[in-house]
Amino acid sequence: MEGGGLQGSETTTPGRKSQSAVTGSARKVKDNAADWHNLILKWDRLNDEGSTMANKIVNLGFNKSSQKEMQVMMAGQDTSASSNSENAFENSRELEEECDKLLSVVDKMTHIVSKMEKLVSFEKGIIDLETFQYGTGGRQTPLFQTWPTSQFADVSNKLYEAYKQELTLKRAILQELAHTTNPDLSMVYLSCWLYQPYTDDRAKLLLEGLLLETGHRPI
């Protein structure tokens, strides 16, 4: 999910003073929106890196399978047995290295999702605070333009759930990718990794709406 830079701190939104003067809950919500933007940018960079690694793992896996077939065919022919054995060892070593790299990417993605979960908890904490301050009806005037405070928590939760599901898929792909010998299934795994079915256009719209509402994007 690509995104441009955020508006500077001096942005002015209709009916409000300079965003640099935003304080209290509004300041925290605005900072959270910027955190969402930055975390998703980091996720997307990791997704691209992981896609490159996943493609290499598939290719190395196919090479390993071909080399095993070749070793069976060449059994008893000493002339090339040593060379084939060395190639197989080198291929296995490289495959293991790429799997370790992809594991590191998934670990970093796990850390990102953990931070997303904290953002959701923080938004819910703001709702609890406003319920305490204003009663069950909450704040009567919006923090920024039109959204009630509860909508920030709702959007954050939907984004978190989308990336949590995507992380579960990434972990499944990581477990299966190096052991799959079916080319068609491998292509499905690679496509799922790259195109991320759980973080589709709806997630992009949620993020852009959040950035617009908090003044990070110009209207």
Side-chain angles (χ1 to χ4, degrees), residues 52-115:
T52 300
M53 296 167 190
N55 273 282
K56 194 167 185 179
I57 288 170
V58 168
N59 291 330
L60 288 168
F62 289 158
N63 289 342
K64 183 178 180 180
S65 179
S66 298
Q67 287 168 354
K68 283 183 177 179
E69 294 176 3
M70 182 65 70
Q71 285 177 336
V72 172
M73 293 174 59
M74 300 298 292
Q77 300 182 27
D78 296 334
T79 53
S80 59
S82 177
S83 176
N84 287 334
S85 179
E86 290 176 2
N87 289 338
F89 175 79
E90 177 63 25
N91 189 83
S92 295
R93 184 186 63 78
E94 192 172 0
L95 179 60
E96 184 176 352
E97 289 177 353
E98 290 301 318
C99 287
D100 287 343
K101 290 178 183 178
L102 191 59
L103 174 60
S104 178
V105 166
V106 173
D107 285 344
K108 291 175 182 176
M109 287 177 156
T110 301
H111 186 59
I112 287 175
V113 171
S114 177
K115 287 186 175 182

Side-chain angles (χ1 to χ4, degrees), residues 1-2 40 44 159 162-163 195-196 198-211 217:
M1 185 187 299
E2 295 293 333
I40 289 174
D44 287 343
L159 286 171
Y163 281 90
Y195 293 110
Q196 309 193 96
Y198 293 109
T199 58
D200 55 13
D201 288 342
R202 288 172 295 180
K204 295 179 183 179
L205 289 174
L206 287 172
L207 177 63
E208 286 304 310
L210 178 62
L211 297 176
R217 292 271 197 260

